[in-house]
Amino acid sequence: MSDESDQELGITRSKEYETGEWYAELVQKAELADYAPMGGFIVTRPRGYSIWERMQSSLDGWFKDTGVQNAYFPMFIPEGFLEREKDIVEGFDPEVAWVTEGGYDELEERLAVRPTSESIIAPFMSQWTRSHRDLPLRLNQWCSVVRWEATETKPFFRTKEFLWQEGHTAHADSEDAWDETMTRLDQYRRLYEDVLAIPPLTGRKPPHDKFPGAHTTTTVEALMPDGKSVQGATSHYLGTSFADAFDITYVDEGENEQIAHTTSWGLSWRAMGALFMTHSDDQGLVLPPTVAPEQVVIVPIWQDENKNDILEYAVEIETELADAGVRVHLDDRENRNPGFKYNEWELKGVPVRIEIGPNEREENEITLVHRPDGETETEQRAGAVETVESHLETVFAKLYASAETTLQGEIREATSRDEILGTIGQHGGYVKCGWCGNEGCEDPIKEAIAAEIVMVPLDRDEDPIQEECAICGEAAEETAYFAKTY
Ligand SMILES: [Zn+2]
């Protein structure tokens, strides 16, 4: 291997100093995604897509365990349907892509490529909800949506088309709908914590930033290493606004017509962006074993005279691990040396590498190396499955602990406008302070450093951490968390 091709294979940018360039290089060189010929679109490569599938499978299982059914609605929405929604969701005006022709004919009514599906799902929820026995109605759709925003493409963070799931539910009363909202928020939090090894914050969006038409928007916020907050998923309690607009009513046990209460909730592939951004480093991708395409790679180290013995030993271990359900790959390529293989699998984010050379074979041992920090340990060959599983758990715990430490160190308190500006300007991260509840007090922060209130505590009755609004000095109503955002 020459130095030149090593250079081409590996990451050349610094995560700390050139985060944007580093990220763009990471997604391409770790074979997660490529840029499509049309600006704003990406191609998700098999390695990237398999990570999405693992996240999807966790979440989809939890949804189904809690009464959700998957369905699929058309990707095109008649313009009249979107117009109907505009009456209630004043302010929601996503950049919509339109279809105006089909085959050789101009369409009588333009069709929107769905920017979200409330307006086509709600009319059917109305039809399907007749009696209290039809409730709760819980639908989810896995699909892509399109928002024609003219911003720079950033794979999994900013693309015109993105993959997501959108849940839409109807309930007999507000209590049941609120429980639903919190169930989904909790499942999103669990995905971040237990699958992605990212401890997030959960809260409510301030009233001026909630989903248009929603009574309450709850959010999972994840802190990125560059000090910005990613809105990782949202769960909305919509009250009766959508039910009123789309006539989602039911007949109760006393034969009276009642209005339903609805929710909606969504998580997009932005969660993948957060995953890659959080754990990866200048050597490449770092993944928790929960979502890694390969959890373990075995790299045999041989000379001509011991090659067959070493490979035989490696195959035995590979088979034993694979039979136990570990996602393992034996890299027995002839034309690559071990050093090259180490670099390549580090770049691709395999959580644990097993090295097998003459010593390991003679002593009946295996040597394990952890991707996040290079920690190396030699263990007995016997009980390899348990040993490997324990090391995979340790790698997950290391990633989680590191993200947790970062998060805790990045939540600071400020008591004045200047202190908010200075603290976020210098450190990034979250700044919490007392807030009067007026949107106007967010403006000077937004204008000066493009930071905003990303959330307030979920509990409306929680006392603010300061008695006065840090910006205007009036009585504080809530604790606001300011941060820069993606
Ligand atoms: Zn104020």
Side-chain angles (χ1 to χ4, degrees):
M1 268 313 298
S2 71
D3 288 347
E4 194 184 357
S5 32
D6 262 340
Q7 183 84 2
E8 282 167 20
L9 183 74
I11 304 282
T12 61
R13 304 299 192 120
S14 151
K15 182 182 186 185
E16 187 176 355
Y17 300 107
E18 309 163 276
T19 310
E21 292 85 353
W22 165 85
Y23 181 79
E25 209 180 354
L26 176 78
V27 294
Q28 290 178 88
K29 290 193 170 173
E31 299 177 2
L32 302 168
D34 266 324
Y35 292 85
M38 315 83 76
F41 291 83
I42 61 167
V43 175
T44 309
R45 297 186 63 174
R47 299 189 69 80
Y49 199 79
S50 76
I51 295 168
W52 175 245
E53 284 179 313
R54 291 192 194 287
M55 293 168 45
Q56 187 179 37
S57 141
S58 294
L59 211 46
D60 198 63
W62 300 336
F63 289 164
K64 286 172 180 160
D65 287 347
T66 45
V68 178
Q69 294 177 299
N70 284 335
Y72 189 78
F73 292 78
M75 71 184 300
F76 298 130
I77 301 177
E79 185 167 18
F81 278 55
L82 274 193
E83 290 297 328
R84 194 171 165 192
E85 190 185 46
K86 267 189 179 157
D87 298 340
I88 37 164
V89 295
E90 210 181 314
F92 184 61
D93 194 15
E95 302 290 327
V96 172
W98 295 101
V99 177
T100 56
E101 285 171 43
Y104 299 103
D105 302 319
E106 195 160 313
L107 302 182
E108 279 177 31
E109 183 178 16
R110 299 197 290 172
L111 299 175
V113 182
R114 63 181 163 223
T116 175
S117 304
E118 272 83 2
S119 62
I120 192 143
I121 293 181
F124 289 91
M125 292 175 78
S126 165
Q127 286 184 33
W128 301 339
T129 302
R130 294 285 175 224
S131 127
H132 62 93
R133 282 179 297 272
D134 299 324
L135 296 175
L137 174 63
R138 297 187 179 97
L139 301 172
N140 177 62
Q141 159 162 282
W142 290 97
C143 64
S144 76
V145 291
V146 171
R147 297 182 189 170
W148 211 267
E149 288 157 327
T151 51
E152 200 185 335
T153 309
K154 188 169 185 137
F156 308 114
F157 283 109
R158 273 196 309 270
T159 48
K160 289 191 173 80
E161 180 188 22
F162 57 86
L163 292 178
W164 79 346
Q165 61 69 217
E166 48 180 318
H168 300 270
T169 69
H171 306 263
D173 56 38
S174 63
E175 196 184 350
D176 201 43
W178 179 250
D179 285 349
E180 175 76 18
T181 308
M182 296 312 290
T183 297
R184 301 313 154 200
L185 183 72
D186 198 55
Q187 289 174 341
Y188 292 143
R189 185 186 51 72
R190 185 171 155 200
L191 182 83
Y192 275 83
E193 289 179 353
D194 295 355
V195 179
L196 307 183
I198 300 175
L201 298 178
T202 52
R204 272 182 294 130
K205 285 289 167 190
H208 59 267
D209 194 29
K210 63 189 186 186
F211 181 63
H215 175 277
T216 304
T217 288
T218 65
T219 181
V220 173
E221 297 284 328
L223 181 71
M224 295 297 100
D226 57 2
K228 294 181 184 173
S229 184
V230 165
Q231 180 179 296
T234 48
S235 180
H236 314 283
Y237 168 52
L238 301 170
T240 56
S241 60
F242 278 79
D244 279 328
F246 289 97
D247 196 28
I248 307 175
T249 57
Y250 66 97
V251 175
D252 69 13
E253 289 176 47
E255 298 294 317
N256 300 307
E257 178 146 306
Q258 302 282 359
I259 188 86
H261 292 247
T262 67
T263 78
S264 69
W265 26 275
L267 174 134
S268 78
W269 71 12
R270 176 180 270 212
M272 284 168 77
L275 170 73
F276 303 148
M277 189 67 99
T278 298
H279 303 301
S280 303
D281 60 24
D282 288 352
Q283 276 66 57
L285 191 63
V286 176
L287 292 171
T290 38
V291 293
E294 303 90 358
Q295 296 169 309
V296 174
V297 61
I298 300 175
V299 178
I301 305 154
W302 68 67
Q303 307 290 328
D304 284 344
E305 64 271 20
N306 57 23
K307 183 179 164 189
N308 289 341
D309 292 342
I310 299 247
L311 273 178
E312 193 183 332
Y313 185 68
V315 167
E316 269 177 33
I317 293 165
E318 181 203 20
T319 307
E320 189 175 323
L321 293 176
D323 287 349
V326 176
R327 296 192 293 279
V328 57
H329 174 69
L330 170 60
D331 187 352
D332 57 2
R333 285 178 293 175
E334 303 268 352
N335 59 340
R336 297 296 188 200
N337 64 38
F340 180 94
K341 293 177 184 178
Y342 296 172
N343 288 339
E344 181 172 338
W345 296 112
E346 279 176 10
L347 174 67
K348 290 181 176 170
V350 180
V352 167
R353 175 172 81 231
I354 295 180
E355 300 174 1
I356 290 171
N359 285 341
E360 281 81 5
R361 184 180 162 272
E362 271 159 38
E363 304 292 331
N364 259 307
E365 289 172 344
I366 53 175
T367 294
L368 303 104
V369 184
H370 296 178
R371 170 63 182 88
D373 58 2
E375 188 182 333
T376 303
E377 213 170 319
T378 299
E379 303 255 30
Q380 294 300 311
R381 155 80 179 81
V385 169
E386 290 74 17
T387 302
V388 164
E389 281 170 354
S390 151
H391 279 263
L392 291 172
E393 279 171 28
T394 304
V395 167
F396 186 95
K398 280 180 179 178
L399 295 177
Y400 190 90
S402 164
E404 173 87 48
T405 305
T406 307
L407 174 65
Q408 294 314 328
E410 296 291 336
I411 304 174
R412 302 179 178 87
E413 197 174 327
T415 53
S416 71
R417 173 182 153 168
D418 285 349
E419 202 183 347
I420 298 169
L421 294 176
T423 306
I424 296 180
Q426 191 183 346
H427 304 286
Y430 298 102
V431 164
K432 54 181 180 179
C433 63
W435 177 48
C436 62
N438 286 328
E439 186 182 356
C441 282
E442 186 190 51
D443 291 341
I445 311 294
K446 230 177 190 167
E447 283 158 22
I449 54 169
E452 61 191 74
I453 300 173
V454 294
M455 57 168 239
V456 297
L458 271 176
D459 180 359
R460 288 170 198 275
D461 298 328
E462 194 178 303
D463 288 329
I465 54 162
Q466 295 153 13
E467 287 182 9
E468 293 171 357
C469 173
I471 296 113
C472 71
E474 301 286 311
E477 294 288 326
E478 317 221 52
T479 303
Y481 286 71
F482 280 91
K484 294 189 181 184
T485 64
Y486 269 72

